[in-house]
């Protein structure tokens, strides 16, 4: 088990809501009752417009793919726990990819994203794969998290995100672009950085878990730590995520 | 208060535009006090799509279908985005 990941979260000062330990098996977390009892179509989560049905939550128990409701609500919970973290949701990148910059900018017209420490942007690729782009406002860098460490997507994704950040900045500053374009910020995928960051990411070894990886990448980015969970932790983490979603708050990660 | 008799009080309405991922627009006029669920259901019916496959967002945030335009401070010509459900594992 990824003891360092669990312990590093505990030392990260998260507020204790509930506890779980890395030594507990997934069976000891009573998520079965949450997921299996009652109307499968009923909303288990209906919170500020985020709706998750019981069967969607139950899908986390197995190996099924994760949908946008799960990803976006999880990031919403992260955002609630860390007030200086902003999640822009998984549909922003769909807008950018469709070339609708005006539409994307409309989504941040009433938000002050530039006072955030960390901005999370979940990326859905071809309705098949989840990755994560992070704008680290504090460290002034762009990070890309892909549990496949793919080579094909990060350049275009980060380029689009940088372009969006420049325009969002201009929209808040009378049309003036930032002195230093976001496109010039160091990236975790840069040749001189990727060995330490991009190539070092935990990697999925199956065809199902990228969405689960993305939720935990987001949590690590919010905590300001490097992800060091592994594929072996995913079964446990699926249960943890399910519990967090159904309780509408993050659990504290501790290690014994 | 409006008279309960035959004279109908003028009900304040708001004009909203629903834009889908392809940029196609559809206009709605609804009462400010009407739950947005009504608009969402009408949109899905007109488009012939399942309600579960669409995410209605206002300024990028999901819309609580039980809320009204007044509840979330919508104004004339505001835009609702109808985005498509996304999923992923790995291809």
């Amino acid at each position: 088990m990824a003891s360092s990941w669990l312990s590093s979260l505990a030392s990260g000062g998260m507020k204790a809501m509930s506890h779980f330990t890395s030594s507990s098996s997934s069976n000891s977390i009573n998520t079965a009752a949450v997921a299996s009892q009652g109307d499968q179509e009923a909303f288990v989560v209906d919170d500020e417009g985020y709706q998750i049905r019981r069967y969607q939550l139950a899908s986390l128990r197995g190996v099924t793919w994760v949908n946008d409701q799960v990803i976006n609500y999880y990031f919403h919970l992260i955002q609630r726990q860390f007030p200086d973290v902003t999640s822009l949701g998984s549909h922003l990148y769909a807008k950018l990819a469709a070339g609708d910059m005006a539409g994307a900018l409309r989504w941040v017209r009433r938000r002050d994203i530039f006072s955030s420490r960390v901005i999370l942007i979940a990326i859905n690729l071809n309705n098949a794969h989840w990755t994560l782009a992070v704008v680290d406002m504090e460290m002034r860098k762009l990070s890309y998290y892909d549990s496949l460490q793919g080579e094909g997507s990060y350049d275009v994704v980060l380029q689009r995100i940088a372009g969006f950040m420049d325009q969002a900045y201009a929209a808040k500053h009378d049309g003036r672009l930032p002195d230093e374009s976001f496109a010039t910020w160091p990236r975790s995928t840069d040749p001189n950085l990727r060995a330490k960051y991009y190539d070092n990411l935990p990697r999925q070894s199956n065809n199902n878990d990228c969405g689960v990886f993305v939720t935990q990448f987001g949590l690590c980015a919010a905590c300001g730590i490097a992800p060091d969970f592994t594929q072996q932790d995913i079964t446990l983490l699926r249960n943890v995520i399910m519990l967090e979603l159904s309780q509408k708050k993050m659990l504290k990660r501790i290690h014994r | 208060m409006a008279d309960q008799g035959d004279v109908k009080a003028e009900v304040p309405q708001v004009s909203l535009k629903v834009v889908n991922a392809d940029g196609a627009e559809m206009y709605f006029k609804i009462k400010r006090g009407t739950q947005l669920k009504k608009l969402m259901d009408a949109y899905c019916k007109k488009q012939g799509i399942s309600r579960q496959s669409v995410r209605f967002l206002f300024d990028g945030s999901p819309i609580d279908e039980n809320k009204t335009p007044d509840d979330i401070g919508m104004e004339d010509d505001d835009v609702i985005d109808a985005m498509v459900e996304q999923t992923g594992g790995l291809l």
Side-chain angles (χ1 to χ4, degrees):
Chain A
M1 285 307 202
S3 56
S4 52
W5 148 242
L6 297 164
S7 59
S8 56
L9 265 179
S11 63
M14 292 175 78
K15 296 270 184 301
M17 300 292 186
S18 317
H19 300 266
F20 74 93
T21 70
S22 63
S23 60
S24 50
S25 75
S26 54
N27 293 335
S28 70
I29 299 174
N30 186 21
T31 47
V34 180
S36 56
Q37 290 169 9
D39 179 4
Q40 291 296 302
E41 292 289 328
F43 291 123
V44 190
V45 172
D46 192 354
D47 187 11
E48 295 184 31
Y50 294 90
Q51 294 181 320
I52 302 177
R53 293 172 198 273
R54 182 167 277 111
Y55 76 86
Q56 291 170 329
L57 194 69
S59 74
L60 276 165
R61 297 174 69 202
V63 292
T64 41
W65 288 17
V66 174
N67 79 359
D68 56 324
Q69 301 276 41
V70 169
I71 299 277
N72 288 330
Y73 188 58
Y74 197 81
F75 280 14
H76 183 69
L77 293 181
I78 292 177
Q79 191 176 249
R80 243 189 226 164
Q81 172 120 20
F82 300 88
D84 56 357
V85 172
T86 294
S87 165
L88 293 179
S90 65
H91 295 284
L92 182 91
Y93 187 72
K95 280 254 177 238
L96 295 177
D100 185 7
M101 179 63 81
L105 292 174
R106 175 159 44 75
W107 290 4
V108 292
R109 65 182 175 160
R110 294 184 189 177
R111 304 179 74 171
D112 177 23
I113 61 171
F114 292 96
S115 61
S116 304
R117 176 174 52 87
V118 169
I119 299 172
L120 307 175
I121 303 168
I123 309 286
N124 184 271
L125 298 172
N126 304 319
N127 212 26
H129 186 45
W130 287 108
T131 66
L132 173 68
V134 174
V135 182
D136 190 329
M137 300 293 289
E138 189 179 31
M139 307 299 287
R140 298 176 69 81
K141 64 174 187 180
L142 304 177
S143 295
Y144 191 67
Y145 297 80
D146 180 350
S147 50
L148 293 175
Q149 285 144 276
E151 297 296 324
S153 57
Y154 55 71
D155 273 333
V156 62
V157 169
L158 292 182
Q159 201 61 41
R160 279 184 178 136
I161 298 296
F164 166 75
M165 291 301 296
D166 280 350
Q167 294 302 321
Y169 181 94
K172 301 266 183 203
H173 295 85
D174 300 322
R176 185 171 54 82
L177 288 166
D179 294 336
E180 192 187 349
S181 165
F182 284 82
T184 66
W185 284 22
R187 301 177 186 187
S188 66
T189 51
D190 286 344
N192 54 338
L193 295 175
R194 60 175 291 164
K196 186 176 174 195
Y197 297 105
Y198 191 63
D199 297 342
N200 229 0
L201 292 173
R203 197 179 171 110
Q204 74 184 99
S205 59
N206 60 23
N207 294 343
N208 315 299
D209 287 336
C210 62
V212 180
F213 274 77
V214 159
T215 60
Q216 301 309 297
F217 286 150
L219 182 54
C220 291
C223 295
I225 60 171
D228 60 356
F229 58 93
T230 72
Q231 176 72 56
Q232 286 182 310
D233 301 312
I234 293 299
T235 303
L236 171 65
L237 286 170
R238 278 179 175 267
N239 280 276
V240 170
I241 293 163
M242 198 162 101
L243 206 56
E244 289 173 325
L245 292 171
S246 61
Q247 294 194 349
K248 305 180 180 64
K249 57 195 173 196
M250 308 299 292
L251 301 188
K252 183 181 183 183
R253 270 83 167 139
I254 57 170
H255 173 65
R256 286 193 187 119
Chain B
M1 285 300 288
D3 193 337
Q4 295 294 308
D6 344 57
V7 184
K8 239 184 175 175
E10 198 173 309
V11 184
Q13 294 190 317
V14 59
S15 299
L16 300 171
K17 180 165 77 172
V18 180
V19 182
N20 76 5
D22 301 323
E25 303 174 346
M26 194 177 275
Y27 291 84
F28 290 85
K29 203 167 220 186
I30 72 166
K31 294 172 195 154
R32 292 188 155 275
T34 298
Q35 289 183 337
L36 285 153
K37 182 179 194 312
K38 199 172 169 186
L39 178 152
M40 298 179 189
D41 288 342
Y43 179 84
C44 290
K45 201 173 173 189
K46 280 184 184 168
Q47 294 280 318
I49 50 178
S50 140
R51 173 69 186 85
Q52 290 191 36
S53 68
V54 195
R55 311 287 183 246
F56 292 97
L57 308 180
F58 179 51
D59 284 347
S61 296
I63 297 172
D64 183 337
E65 62 183 17
N66 300 312
K67 293 271 167 62
T68 70
D70 264 352
D71 288 340
I72 56 177
M74 286 176 146
E75 289 160 13
D76 268 337
D77 305 322
D78 269 345
V79 179
I80 293 173
D81 292 280
M83 304 301 287
V84 185
E85 175 179 27
Q86 300 166 323
T87 188
L90 135 89
L91 198 59

